[in-house]
Amino acid sequence: MSDFGYTPRTVLDNGLGRTGTIHTPHGEIQTPAFIAVGTKATVKAVLPESVREFGAQAVLANAYHLYLQPGSDLVDEAGGLGRFMNWDGPTFTDSGGFQVMSLGAGFKKVIEMDSVKAASDDAVAPGKERLAHVDDDGVTFKSHLNGDLHRFTPEVSMRVQHELGADIMFAFDELTTLHNSRGYQEESLERTRLWAERCLAEHRRLTQERVGKPYQALFGVLQGAQYEDLRRKAARDLGSMEVDGQRFDGFGYGGALEKENLGTICSWMSEELPFDKPRHLLGISEPDDFFAAVEAGADTFDCVNPSRVARNSAIYTADGRYNLSTAANRRAFVPLEDGCDCYTCAHYTRAYLHHLFKAKEMLASTLATIHNERFTVRLVDQIRTSIEDGALEDFRTDFLGRFYAPKVPAGGNASSSPSVDTKN
């Protein structure tokens, strides 16, 4: 019997955005929610106890990385992802599909359209080597660790994710880029559809085989790039897909996305999907993207960005982003952000973290990550509360107006408004 489910609660007037509760064997997730990324069974630089303290309701790990090291069989032997990493809340694992794009072409998840010069199915990001090759059966890829060749298929992805034991996992998909031609997008969409059927069949088989294990929910991943007809087709196909009585428990919005049309693309899929199943938008974390996606029907999100930029001294605040390493912060004996309720802001100053980054001390990454993750989790929590209170429009206007307002350079005054960091 499944311990998984989703209960919608407050619905926006457009019928797409909503609040709700995802029920898992390891606890509930109040949505909308930001899911902290623990790629290798750890949110980089912070303890699992800190992850709970900064408010994350769940953690997402990377099936590809854990397959390579330490091995999904070892995680299974340890009792599953949560027990292995000492996290008692809900867990997600991705399918490895993102690595098809990142290893294959090296492009990012969200792409500004002015960076897409021309469609090319062989396009590779500058300075990147193609390490993954796709065929109709699966993907052959070269390990970024030692160069060994590996093979991922829908069946392998399902086995790996079952062994990792996450509450929510994703079907194996081919994540295309906006640089791919329309013809290739169509071929890839059909390939992903066929892989989805194989994932459902193998998921059912493994669920029956692994008696005594908590039920793991399987989300189908929707592709289609920037094309409305392909996105809607993917949603209809996977939304109604059933193999031997097994259906998808929820859905992931995948693929590279046009930033300026992110909300519109999400709405195409939300309009076609069953209302009573959760929707996860893979790989976004910028404030304007959250608002657009929530209003378009996305329920949960994940992204490495809050912790990644923190390790490079970039700090998120309600007044935008700034760089702690600038000279303006050397004698700034104030919190990273006035009014922030995170552990770092309660105990440390900008001046201290400026020193830690300049001295290349590891504690710098820990304290900065705690703040950025708390900022991101709290923002999505506030979006959820504003929906419940009927105040989303006002909150969106106030928050984005302040966050993206032109900033006054700090100059020689360490306590003045921080300048926006543009290098990370």
Side-chain angles (χ1 to χ4, degrees):
M1 180 178 176
S2 172
D3 294 317
F4 182 85
Y6 173 70
T7 306
R9 203 162 48 246
T10 304
V11 183
L12 294 178
D13 290 342
N14 67 4
L16 299 179
R18 71 268 184 96
T19 67
T21 303
I22 298 174
H23 311 275
T24 83
H26 291 93
E28 295 183 341
I29 303 170
Q30 304 304 320
T31 67
F34 180 74
I35 311 303
V37 176
T39 300
K40 300 177 183 179
T42 174
V43 178
K44 286 187 185 297
V46 298
L47 291 168
E49 290 82 357
S50 298
V51 175
R52 177 67 72 188
E53 189 175 285
F54 63 61
Q57 299 181 68
V59 172
L60 180 144
N62 186 293
Y64 161 82
H65 285 286
L66 293 179
Y67 159 78
L68 290 178
Q69 188 181 66
S72 55
D73 59 327
L74 186 149
V75 177
D76 193 17
E77 186 178 342
L81 175 64
R83 183 167 296 178
F84 185 53
M85 67 179 290
N86 191 34
W87 171 259
D88 61 3
T91 52
F92 291 59
T93 48
D94 63 11
S95 70
F98 179 77
Q99 277 63 44
V100 174
M101 180 181 81
S102 63
L103 292 175
F107 293 111
K108 297 179 180 180
K109 165 77 176 178
V110 177
I111 298 177
E112 301 282 0
M113 277 308 292
D114 59 11
S115 72
V116 181
K117 305 302 182 186
S120 172
D121 298 331
D122 297 318
V124 177
K128 299 291 184 179
E129 173 192 359
R130 186 175 293 278
L131 299 178
H133 299 271
V134 181
D135 57 57
D136 287 342
D137 182 60
V139 180
T140 300
F141 62 89
K142 186 186 296 185
S143 167
H144 70 286
L145 298 176
N146 58 15
D148 286 351
L149 287 178
H150 297 269
R151 181 76 174 163
F152 253 46
T153 64
E155 290 78 15
V156 170
S157 178
M158 288 297 93
R159 174 181 59 78
V160 167
Q161 291 188 81
H162 269 266
E163 288 179 344
L164 293 175
D167 295 297
I168 296 172
M169 54 189 180
F170 291 88
F172 192 58
D173 62 312
E174 182 187 5
L175 192 158
T176 57
T177 81
L178 301 184
H179 296 265
N180 290 119
S181 65
R182 164 73 191 217
Y184 189 88
Q185 300 287 1
E186 293 174 353
E187 293 175 14
S188 176
L189 198 73
E190 177 62 9
R191 183 180 294 122
T192 291
R193 186 187 71 81
L194 295 173
W195 286 359
E197 291 180 341
R198 290 164 60 185
C199 285
L200 280 175
E202 185 67 2
H203 173 50
R204 178 179 173 81
R205 188 188 72 80
L206 289 169
T207 299
Q208 294 174 338
E209 179 182 283
R210 292 168 61 82
V211 178
K213 300 283 187 179
Y215 179 75
Q216 296 174 253
L218 177 60
F219 283 25
V221 181
L222 310 180
Q223 297 291 342
Q226 67 269 43
Y227 300 104
E228 179 176 3
D229 60 329
L230 299 186
R231 286 286 182 178
R232 289 186 181 276
K233 181 180 188 305
R236 289 193 299 269
D237 286 347
L238 272 65
S240 61
M241 185 175 287
E242 183 173 339
V243 177
D244 296 330
Q246 182 72 52
R247 304 187 68 143
F248 286 115
D249 300 290
F251 302 92
Y253 292 172
L257 299 168
E258 302 171 337
K259 182 175 177 65
E260 53 267 49
N261 293 319
L262 184 146
T264 299
I265 294 171
C266 289
S267 70
W268 295 336
M269 296 179 282
S270 298
E271 288 169 359
E272 303 289 347
L273 289 172
F275 186 76
D276 60 349
K277 293 189 177 182
R279 311 152 183 160
H280 181 87
L281 177 53
L282 293 139
I284 66 122
S285 67
E286 289 301 307
D288 56 336
D289 295 335
F290 282 140
F291 283 96
V294 165
E295 292 181 63
D299 300 305
T300 52
F301 314 87
D302 75 274
C303 193
V304 299
N305 204 56
S307 59
R308 176 175 288 167
V309 302
R311 298 194 300 276
N312 290 302
S313 76
I315 300 299
Y316 282 98
T317 76
D319 292 306
R321 203 169 98 177
Y322 71 94
N323 196 318
L324 266 172
S325 295
T326 60
N329 294 296
R330 185 167 181 262
R331 295 182 182 276
F333 303 109
V334 295
L336 301 190
E337 179 182 16
D338 290 338
C340 177
D341 60 358
C342 81
Y343 174 85
T344 301
C345 287
H347 296 90
Y348 300 95
T349 66
R350 294 188 191 186
Y352 181 62
L353 267 76
H354 172 88
H355 156 68
L356 293 178
F357 275 109
K358 289 298 184 181
K360 302 188 186 307
E361 288 289 343
M362 289 185 288
L363 183 58
S365 294
T366 297
L367 295 177
T369 298
I370 287 171
H371 172 80
N372 277 1
E373 292 282 354
R374 176 59 186 151
F375 172 89
T376 307
V377 167
R378 183 176 60 231
L379 170 57
V380 181
D381 288 350
Q382 290 171 328
I383 292 174
R384 181 176 67 249
T385 299
S386 72
I387 294 174
E388 300 278 6
D389 294 343
L392 176 61
E393 185 174 348
D394 289 342
F395 178 61
R396 179 186 65 234
T397 300
D398 292 345
F399 186 92
L400 296 182
R402 181 176 173 185
F403 187 85
Y404 292 107
K407 304 302 185 292
V408 178
N413 184 353
S415 64
S416 63
S417 298
S419 59
V420 175
D421 166 56
T422 60
K423 293 183 289 186
N424 294 297

